[in-house]
Amino acid sequence: MSKSSPRRSFGRKSTGTVTVIEAKVHRSSARNARMAFILAAVIIGILTAVVAASYVHPIIGLFIGVAVGVPCGFLAWLLVRVWPVLRLLWWWTPEIVLTTLLLAGWVQLATHTSTLVTLAVVAVVLGVPAAVPVTRRQVVAWVWCLIVRHRLRVCFAQFIVANQSGSLPLILWARPTPVGERVWVYLRPGLSLVDLEGRLDKIAVTCHASSVLVERAADGNAAYLRFDIKRREVLTATVTSPLADVITSDAPATDRPTPVVPTALDLSDVQAPTIALPVQQPRKPAATSANGSKPAATPSPEGGDDLSDWI
């Protein structure tokens, strides 16, 4: 019997399932969970049995090791098995916390106050940040931080190659900067900084930014990266100088001569300096005797001895 695939009727859409965790990640998580259960149960069971054997009979110690190792292995299996769900909850932690706080505050406010007071409080809480420019910019900046975390997750899931198990990098936190947002990411095995540097233009398009820079956040850890998402240029903004407010309107203006800026140089107007060279005196030739030898030095007549007395 051949299997026939159900056809979609005209004007109706077939309902499908929504994939929360990918099949590749699901299989990898199941395999890692089994390995974690075996290792934790065996190691903890053997250690417990060895310790218990020194106090009770070895067979009773073996049963004690099994009784302790199996629950510990099951706990390790549970932690590894639910790790994809915990990671998904981590990605949505800010939104979950904010939604919970808003709902809890609304319920408490509606329960303990009247309708008019509730509406007045809501109007103040929502209207003041929207009316004050500084507060409005801060709120918008933090909202973009929440959006960028999810946009980076889309980049990692769509066009950045992950490891064989399919686990994506862990997006830690984000904060606003004067030009955009800064996000810290911890990479998993199978991805490096070099792989991301060739896809920065695609990341900028996904994050709705003008450019994206990535660099190491720690010198001793290559997996800890920092993404700088740039949306605007602050260096080209017009900055007003406070010196204009210091000058009063009744201050007298000072007439200053207009400086003459030379446009050409005429060599005839330049006076060449006169350099005087020192005059060298001619040397007198030394006197010689008839046989060509130099004459003896003439003794000093004042208080000197005559050399003829010593000959």
Side-chain angles (χ1 to χ4, degrees):
M1 180 181 297
S2 63
K3 297 181 180 180
S4 60
S5 59
R7 297 182 179 179
R8 183 180 304 175
S9 59
F10 179 76
R12 297 178 58 185
K13 295 182 179 180
S14 61
T15 59
T17 58
V18 178
T19 303
V20 178
I21 300 175
E22 296 181 358
K24 186 177 182 181
V25 180
H26 185 78
R27 292 192 299 268
S28 175
S29 176
R31 182 176 63 253
N32 295 336
R34 288 194 299 269
M35 295 299 298
F37 173 79
I38 296 172
L39 291 177
V42 171
I43 294 175
I44 297 177
I46 293 176
L47 293 178
T48 305
V50 170
V51 174
S54 59
Y55 297 96
V56 295
H57 194 273
I59 297 178
I60 299 176
L62 181 61
F63 283 104
I64 295 175
V66 172
V68 175
V70 172
C72 293
F74 176 76
L75 182 61
W77 175 87
L78 182 63
L79 292 177
V80 177
R81 198 71 175 88
V82 302
W83 167 246
V85 180
L86 294 179
R87 185 177 58 186
L88 186 63
L89 292 176
W90 168 258
W91 288 337
W92 291 92
T93 296
E95 290 80 0
I96 294 173
V97 172
L98 290 176
T99 304
T100 304
L101 293 178
L102 290 177
L103 290 178
W106 171 263
V107 171
Q108 293 295 327
L109 187 63
T111 304
H112 297 85
T113 58
S114 60
T115 305
L116 294 178
V117 176
T118 303
L119 295 178
V121 172
V122 172
V124 171
V125 172
L126 298 179
V128 172
V132 180
V134 178
T135 309
R136 184 176 64 251
R137 286 193 293 267
Q138 290 294 328
V139 172
V140 172
W142 283 106
V143 170
W144 270 111
C145 290
L146 299 179
I147 296 174
V148 163
R149 293 179 75 250
H150 296 290
R151 301 306 297 174
L152 283 178
R153 181 171 58 88
V154 172
C155 293
F156 294 142
Q158 292 295 329
F159 56 84
I160 294 180
V161 180
N163 48 22
Q164 294 182 358
S165 61
S167 58
L168 299 177
L170 187 62
I171 302 174
L172 300 178
W173 61 85
R175 69 172 181 86
T177 60
V179 296
E181 298 83 33
R182 176 169 291 179
V183 187
W184 285 266
V185 177
Y186 193 85
L187 300 181
R188 303 296 299 275
L191 193 64
S192 64
L193 177 62
V194 180
D195 299 331
L196 298 176
E197 288 179 346
R199 297 179 172 91
L200 294 180
D201 52 346
K202 297 181 180 179
I203 298 177
V205 172
T206 307
C207 296
H208 308 291
S210 60
S211 61
V212 175
L213 300 177
V214 59
E215 59 183 356
R216 288 187 180 183
D219 296 334
N221 192 353
Y224 189 37
L225 303 182
R226 181 177 62 245
F227 285 79
D228 288 317
I229 290 88
K230 185 177 179 182
R231 302 187 180 280
R232 49 193 172 271
E233 183 65 44
V234 297
L235 298 179
T236 58
T238 303
V239 180
T240 58
S241 176
L243 298 178
D245 300 334
V246 179
I247 302 175
T248 59
S249 59
D250 55 350
T254 304
D255 296 334
R256 296 181 180 179
T258 304
V260 179
V261 180
T263 58
L265 181 63
D266 193 357
L267 297 180
S268 60
D269 297 338
V270 179
Q271 297 179 359
T274 303
I275 301 175
L277 299 176
V279 180
Q280 297 181 357
Q281 298 293 334
R283 281 188 174 186
K284 294 182 179 180
T288 56
S289 58
N291 57 0
S293 62
K294 294 183 180 180
T298 305
S300 175
E302 299 178 357
D305 297 335
D306 191 1
L307 294 179
S308 59
D309 299 337
W310 299 90
I311 299 176

